Amino acid sequence: MAPRPDRTTARDRSRRVLSQNFLADPAAVSRMVRAARSGPDDLLLEVGAGRGQLTRPLAQRCGRLIAYEVDPAVIPALAAVCATLPHVRHRQADFLTAAPPDEPFAVVGNVPWSLTAAVVRWCLAAPRLRAATLLTQWEYARKRTGDLGRWSRLTVLTWPEYHWRLSGRVARTAFRPVPAVDGGILRIERRPAALLDPAGLPAYRKMVELGFGGAGGSLAASLRAAHPGRRVDGALRAARLDPATPVGLVWPEQWLVLFRLLHAPTGRAGGRRW
């Protein structure tokens, strides 16, 4: 049998590269806008604005909005939407190359799914970010928020400074073109005050990296590589953790307990308190 001709158009190939699945369901748009929790004085950055499906309703709730879209094919539609909104600007640019604002701001967007990890990294690295509300693949949102019963390294590493929340599921039929999987609304919020003193954060991250590194085959063995065995055993008991517990099943709160106990002063001579 002769091979079927490739009937995909240049536009189809562009969508595949850009991972573009536009929101077409008004109810899903409303859920995203509510999850963003923006206020009249807020500065929002929208990533992957597309034709402006989210831009207009977001603009109705915020003080200023900058909509980023890299695809030239949809820019005319986005520009038409923004032209009627005086407090909204659109930029035909790659969001990932943008410099973060030097004032408090939030990020909202129906993220190109192939770029989800990069967008999340950009958000976490932005010093003045307050929150990010991102429509990602359902499994990604579940993974980052512990909804699968396991906790990822990135979530645990950033837990003292950020709260990761699963804010809803969006059926794949709400998108055009229809993707293979559902979407998930991921909410990343900077805590008003970190759960650890900033001076202790590097040591906390080092401990988490050590634990997830897998040295020795278990969390207990990994921690014993840097701390006395008896102290590790006591910290595990205090955190109500079996030494054989897989590292992914350790809750972020238990990591904080382990850190505080393993890095507490050992005697009256003192040391830093985290």
Side-chain angles (χ1 to χ4, degrees):
M1 180 181 294
R4 295 180 61 183
D6 183 0
R7 296 181 180 177
T8 59
T9 65
R11 181 70 188 130
D12 293 331
R13 292 189 292 272
S14 175
R15 282 178 173 171
R16 188 176 303 167
V17 170
L18 296 172
S19 302
Q20 290 176 301
N21 301 100
F22 302 120
L23 273 181
D25 179 18
V29 170
S30 296
R31 290 182 69 191
M32 274 294 292
V33 173
R34 288 196 302 270
R37 304 180 188 177
S38 55
D41 298 323
D42 291 346
L43 169 61
L44 296 187
L45 272 56
E46 184 185 2
V47 51
R51 300 186 180 92
Q53 294 91 338
L54 278 172
T55 308
R56 187 183 298 277
L58 284 172
Q60 294 173 352
R61 298 197 177 197
C62 72
R64 289 170 293 151
L65 190 151
I66 304 173
Y68 284 87
E69 176 55 55
V70 73
D71 186 356
V74 299
I75 288 296
L78 178 62
V81 170
C82 295
T84 64
L85 304 168
H87 60 300
V88 175
R89 289 181 293 161
H90 74 277
R91 292 181 179 171
Q92 184 180 343
D94 182 353
F95 172 81
L96 295 173
T97 66
D102 58 3
E103 61 181 293
F105 71 99
V107 172
V108 184
N110 176 20
V111 179
W113 287 354
S114 65
L115 300 177
T116 300
V119 171
V120 169
R121 286 195 300 269
W122 187 100
C123 291
L124 294 175
R128 305 304 298 275
L129 178 86
R130 294 189 302 100
T133 307
L134 307 174
L135 184 49
T136 73
Q137 286 184 327
W138 173 239
E139 291 302 311
Y140 182 92
R142 295 187 71 194
K143 174 183 177 182
R144 292 299 184 214
T145 57
D147 193 60
L148 292 170
R150 300 182 67 89
W151 294 92
S152 73
R153 181 195 308 243
L154 179 62
T155 306
V156 175
L157 278 170
T158 59
W159 191 260
E161 297 174 280
Y162 295 93
H163 183 217
W164 298 69
R165 183 193 310 274
L166 182 61
S167 295
R169 183 171 186 167
V170 176
R172 67 188 190 93
T173 53
F175 300 90
R176 294 294 182 274
V178 179
V181 296
D182 290 348
I185 302 175
L186 173 64
R187 173 88 174 167
I188 308 170
E189 301 171 356
R190 186 187 296 274
R191 301 184 188 278
L195 301 179
L196 294 174
D197 188 290
L201 289 174
Y204 170 82
R205 297 185 189 115
K206 183 177 180 180
M207 184 193 75
V208 173
E209 293 285 9
L210 178 66
F212 273 90
S218 69
L219 174 60
S222 297
L223 294 177
R224 289 189 188 112
H227 303 279
R230 292 181 61 182
R231 195 164 189 181
V232 170
D233 293 342
L236 290 170
R237 286 194 300 271
R240 299 186 178 183
L241 283 168
D242 187 298
T245 301
V247 67
L249 299 184
V250 180
W251 303 344
E253 294 83 0
Q254 291 174 311
W255 280 102
L256 291 172
V257 171
L258 290 174
F259 175 76
R260 290 181 176 121
L261 292 175
L262 291 175
H263 291 78
T266 56
R268 292 187 178 181
R272 289 182 178 173
R273 291 184 179 273
W274 309 120

